Amino acid sequence: MSPTATELDVTLGDGRSLHAYDTDTGTGSRARLALLWQHGSPQTGAPLEPLVEAAAERGIRLFSYGRPSYGGSSSNPGRTVASAATDTAAVADALGIDTFATMGASGGGPHALAAVALLPDRAVGAVTLAGIAPFTREYDWFDGMASPAGIRSAFDGRAARARFEETAEFDPDQFLPVDIAALQAQWESLGADVGRSEAYGPDGLIDDDVAFTSAWGFDPGDITAPVLVVQGDLDRVVPPQHGRWMAARIPRAQLWIREGDGHVSVLDAVPAAMDWLLENTDEGN
């Protein structure tokens, strides 16, 4: 994480708190764009070094927070994907940010979409990278997932997902050689942050999975802001058909399928995705 990041705890009206980060590059209100980062599952919410660097190079003000039960943020039992919109608005308010774009990877993707769906006057655009789609029977939602047992258990409710987590083990087959290479180089900070997240327990991950497999609380088809959907064609965690389905449902979506990329290496698209936001949002122009 950049040493210039400011950490703060944001208190919400219901008494919960969210641990947030503001990587203001010194541009403040003069930033070309404010960009909320929604972290993957599991992470702490701290902005990762490649994100901070790419944002600083473009005059983007990057901010983020740990979703409930992640990284020091309070729990929010029964939360849905839509709940992220309220939390996002509270963090933006605390930082004095009126309008912003959102970007989320993996488990952060749906939560990034929640803002453009439910805060249309404030969220001006979104990017999802390797983001999971709502459950549907229009295609085989599980096809291509190397280890779907965890997400399958969430369909039976939170207690079932929590029981699964008690004996869960990471399956290395989920990652391609290019993913491993990315974690050893450009995205080393991601692996380190996943390790730090273990100190906060599994509740955030469990609640994310239950939210993904339940009603999201909004229809992606109702999103009116520009959205970029980025997916690796070899992703074994969130297969590319999730991205294709999502891009086909969102009216102003553009789809990038990256050949040869998996679940982690696809993050190399972040700088180009930031450029896309600058080009496709009024604030960025």
Side-chain angles (χ1 to χ4, degrees):
M1 183 180 66
S2 167
T4 62
T6 299
E7 298 186 38
L8 67 155
D9 288 307
V10 177
T11 301
L12 283 72
D14 59 7
R16 293 185 295 117
S17 67
L18 299 170
H19 195 67
Y21 302 81
D22 181 17
T23 59
D24 190 339
T25 60
T27 54
S29 61
R30 294 179 290 106
R32 295 179 67 191
L33 180 71
L35 176 61
L36 170 73
W37 171 253
Q38 280 283 4
H39 64 84
S41 314
Q43 291 172 40
T44 67
L48 306 174
E49 291 176 6
L51 298 169
V52 178
E53 293 169 1
E57 290 171 359
R58 290 160 175 79
I60 292 174
R61 180 179 181 179
L62 187 73
F63 66 108
S64 62
Y65 66 91
R67 289 193 294 279
S69 297
Y70 283 118
S73 293
S74 302
S75 64
N76 184 15
R79 65 179 168 93
T80 65
V81 173
S83 301
T86 299
D87 291 353
T88 292
V91 172
D93 288 344
L95 294 174
I97 296 172
D98 184 18
T99 59
F100 51 87
T102 62
M103 179 181 289
S106 188
H111 297 95
L113 292 178
V116 286
L118 299 172
L119 303 171
D121 294 332
R122 302 187 67 177
V124 298
V127 175
T128 70
L129 303 110
I132 197 166
F135 179 73
T136 176
R137 299 187 185 279
E138 294 180 20
Y139 64 94
D140 187 345
W141 196 79
F142 299 99
D143 184 42
M145 292 185 183
S147 297
I151 195 77
R152 282 186 184 277
S153 70
F155 282 90
D156 293 326
R158 192 186 191 285
R161 179 61 182 87
R163 284 194 299 272
F164 177 88
E165 192 61 26
E166 292 174 359
T167 57
E169 296 183 3
F170 175 72
D171 180 3
D173 287 341
Q174 296 179 91
F175 286 171
L176 302 169
V178 290
D179 293 324
I180 300 301
L183 288 169
Q184 294 173 342
Q186 171 78 343
W187 294 97
E188 182 180 10
S189 57
L190 188 157
D193 191 64
V194 170
R196 286 191 293 271
S197 73
E198 293 177 0
Y200 300 96
D203 284 349
L205 174 61
I206 293 167
D207 289 340
D208 269 358
D209 278 358
V210 173
F212 299 149
T213 55
S214 305
W216 280 18
F218 63 90
D219 182 349
D222 293 336
I223 295 172
T224 58
V227 174
L228 176 61
V229 179
V230 186
Q231 211 83 16
D233 70 333
L234 300 179
D235 194 331
R236 297 175 180 173
V237 180
V238 180
Q241 61 262 31
H242 284 245
R244 292 189 179 99
W245 187 93
M246 189 76 77
R249 297 305 184 281
I250 298 174
R252 297 178 64 190
Q254 184 173 346
L255 176 65
W256 291 357
I257 296 291
R258 288 173 54 95
E259 294 185 6
D261 269 340
H263 197 65
V264 179
S265 65
V266 74
L267 295 177
D268 287 342
V270 161
M274 288 184 178
D275 290 338
W276 186 92
L277 282 170
L278 290 172
E279 295 169 2
N280 288 275
T281 60
D282 293 338
E283 280 72 9
N285 293 324

